[in-house]
Amino acid sequence: MTFLDKLQQLDFSAIRRALEAVTPDDVQRALTRERPDEGDIIALLSPAADGCIEQLARRSAHITERRFGKVIQLYAPLYLSNECVNKCAYCGFSHELDVERRTLTVAEAMKEADAIHDEGFRHILLVGGEDRRYLSIPYLLDVVQGLRRRFDSISIEIQPMSTEEYAALAAAGVDGLTLYQELYDRERYAHYHLAGPKRHYDKRILAMENGGEAGFRSLGIGVLLGLSDWRFEAVITAYHARFLMRKFWKSRIAISFPRILESAHHFAPEFKVSQRDLAHMLFVMRLMAPDAELVLSTRESAAFRDNMIGLGVTRMSAGSKTDPGGYTADGSGRQFDIEDSRAPAQVAQAIEARGMEPVWKDFDREFIVRSSS
Amino acid sequence: MNDLIIDGVTLKSRLFVGTGKFPSPQIMARAIDVSQTELVTVALRRVDLNNPNDNTLSALDFTKYRLLPNTSGARDAAEAVRLAKIARAACRTNWVKLEVTPDPNYLLPDPVETLKAAEELIKDGFVVLPYINADPILARRLEDAGCATVMPLAAPIGSNRGIRTADQLAIIIEQAGVPVVVDAGLGMPSHAAEAIEMGADAVLVNTAIAIADDPVRMAEAFRLAVEAAVLAREAGPGGESRLARASSPVTGFLTDEVASS
């Protein structure tokens, strides 16, 4: 069974109605559950739970501390390419946009990686637009081969692939896959994804399971907040996470909370999602999945990120450049502007100031049996 | 209590501690000092063995306690064995806390892969301290394989739920020919004391100390609890009864003399 099968069993309009029908009693009952079930998840994400955000935050903080301790793991994205064959209404890499296009050579990518390594990072996320001509498997294997001597954890956030392609990357030393569905509402999905392979909602859903089959240790999902009703999207995100946890029991699930900020995207989100809403969703994800990695990137402001430390987040990016080549020089077209532009060391200090330890390394390259070494 | 001897090394402290989840390396180091432990476990995935300034390693003073590298994060025997070999080369110790936890959620140990890894490591000259579920037969198999201790869990790692596996633990303790170290799930000093009182040779505590509001004081509390339990065992506990037992028995006049017929 795939998550697509599960989605077909779900009645989306019934979920929307259920979100509206939740009573304060339902919320209180859901709050007492050790492991909230599907109905409890709806209750916790409903408008009726808005008044309980303090309770949600406290439970989330408590669970996170017990499970992860007083630590925040840091990573940096390395943008390899902004070439893209998709036309997506919200994205700075969208095919039709007139931006300077560039794919780093392997040598350029290594230079960028050096700069990231010098900041202290040992966990790196390879990001790129979706264009197989540029981000080909041989190219990616070369990049990974160059990185794995210096980085303990290498993850990818690129075009969806087959199980065999993912397995080749996993064997080379990639341990994490991030692939956002962006939104689960099928109709609205078509509304934003105008051309290119990303139009195929089903294929994108299934690609995450290809990654699970390929044996990635970390499977990262997320919805782009602002494209649809966040409460509904959060419910399906939770179901997706639960599904993946059961099916790929050796992989850890990571959930990200990318939020469209108009200033950063030059795109006006049709649905307003406040910081409070984002926090609400994050807290509920923690109650739903005590062991999931919850990721908060530099898309959010320094103040908001600092305030969220200790409340459920376990992984943060820092010092991110979202333009290929941006770490060593002025890069090319950006995917979006970042809000928190502090240097990694400053972010680490902010974490320490909140009584937590910034962790640069939480994996070891020796875990991975490499195919060609 | 018998001396606690692992691989010929006598350990006076029966409190082993972990180094994860602390708010800072400095607080970690102070808590470990105060615990007076003699065995400190470090996750290899968290440290950079090639970096002499590694935050965790440089905060620790290995003149005061032994380092016990652990393979936390390994999903199968092959990964655990590989990590253990790197640890041996870098840390100059052949002791290893074997952890094979394929499930990233409850971090429960895989019995099949743990046994496999233990056999391989022992053949290669390692002193193996395996983290296991409280499974008495597995404990025996590991002892037969040559493990230096067994380390059954009280409850899942980080759960702070106390001794949830008491009946199985009691069987392991009853049968073991190697030291039994109760590991994982001990959330309060009383849990640690309970484990020692049950007959465990030592306990390993990490989360309960690391995430306390004051880890240093909590480390002291655990030290005192373990010391109290050791003292109690040496004092010879009176045993437990559901009935009241008079301190001046009424049948004291009866003797063992056999009546002649």
Side-chain angles (χ1 to χ4, degrees), chain A residues 34-35 62 65-71 122 152 215-217 245 248-253 291-292 352 355-369, chain B residues 21-25 44-48 50-51 55-56 71-75 79 82-83 86 102-107 110 157-161 207 210-213:
Chain A
E34 178 88 8
R35 280 256 158 174
H62 176 72
E65 181 176 274
R66 212 177 54 188
R67 176 62 190 84
F68 291 86
K70 298 189 176 188
V71 299
R122 296 298 177 267
D152 284 287
F216 288 121
R217 283 164 185 272
M245 284 163 73
F248 304 107
W249 65 277
K250 291 187 178 182
S251 301
R252 171 165 284 175
I253 305 307
D291 306 288
E352 285 168 354
M356 308 269 284
E357 189 190 359
V359 168
W360 303 88
K361 175 181 183 295
D362 193 26
F363 193 65
D364 201 284
R365 70 198 84 161
E366 296 301 334
F367 278 119
I368 309 257
V369 188
Chain B
K21 301 185 176 179
F22 280 91
S24 76
L44 291 162
R45 70 182 155 80
R46 273 291 301 278
V47 296
D48 186 352
N50 302 315
N51 178 3
N55 279 344
T56 302
T71 61
S72 141
R75 296 200 298 189
E79 290 179 0
R82 206 158 52 241
L83 276 181
I86 292 161
D103 148 37
N105 299 327
Y106 289 97
L107 298 173
D110 181 329
I157 290 179
S159 66
N160 285 352
R161 289 169 65 86
T207 303
I211 71 171
D213 288 341

Side-chain angles (χ1 to χ4, degrees), chain A residues 115-143:
Chain A
I116 290 169
H117 191 271
D118 287 349
E119 300 276 13
F121 292 103
R122 296 298 177 267
H123 291 215
I124 195 166
L125 172 66
L126 303 178
V127 188
E130 299 190 2
D131 191 335
R132 297 174 154 269
R133 288 168 302 178
Y134 296 94
L135 293 193
S136 66
I137 293 287
Y139 168 83
L140 290 165
L141 290 174
D142 283 348
V143 171

Side-chain angles (χ1 to χ4, degrees), chain A residues 48 59 80 149:
Chain A
R59 276 209 62 192
L80 294 172
R149 284 191 309 276

Side-chain angles (χ1 to χ4, degrees), chain B residues 195-229:
Chain B
I196 300 288
E197 287 166 9
M198 279 177 68
D201 295 280
V203 292
L204 192 149
V205 180
N206 185 352
T207 303
I209 295 175
I211 71 171
D213 288 341
D214 185 340
V216 179
R217 291 184 82 177
M218 190 58 88
E220 184 172 18
F222 269 94
R223 173 177 69 79
L224 292 168
V226 170
E227 283 176 8

Side-chain angles (χ1 to χ4, degrees), chain A residues 3-22:
Chain A
F3 190 59
L4 213 49
D5 300 322
K6 165 85 181 167
L7 281 174
Q8 270 149 15
Q9 290 166 8
L10 293 174
D11 180 345
F12 282 9
S13 50
I15 292 173
R16 290 179 201 281
R17 283 196 305 277
L19 278 165
E20 295 305 319
V22 171

Side-chain angles (χ1 to χ4, degrees), chain A residues 77 245 270 301 325:
Chain A
M245 284 163 73
E270 290 178 56
S301 69

Side-chain angles (χ1 to χ4, degrees), chain A residues 275-293:
Chain A
Q275 287 183 346
R276 190 187 170 91
D277 297 334
L278 190 162
H280 186 159
M281 176 177 175
L282 190 144
F283 300 150
V284 175
M285 293 300 131
R286 173 56 70 223
L287 269 55
M288 179 276 301
D291 306 288
E293 294 278 0

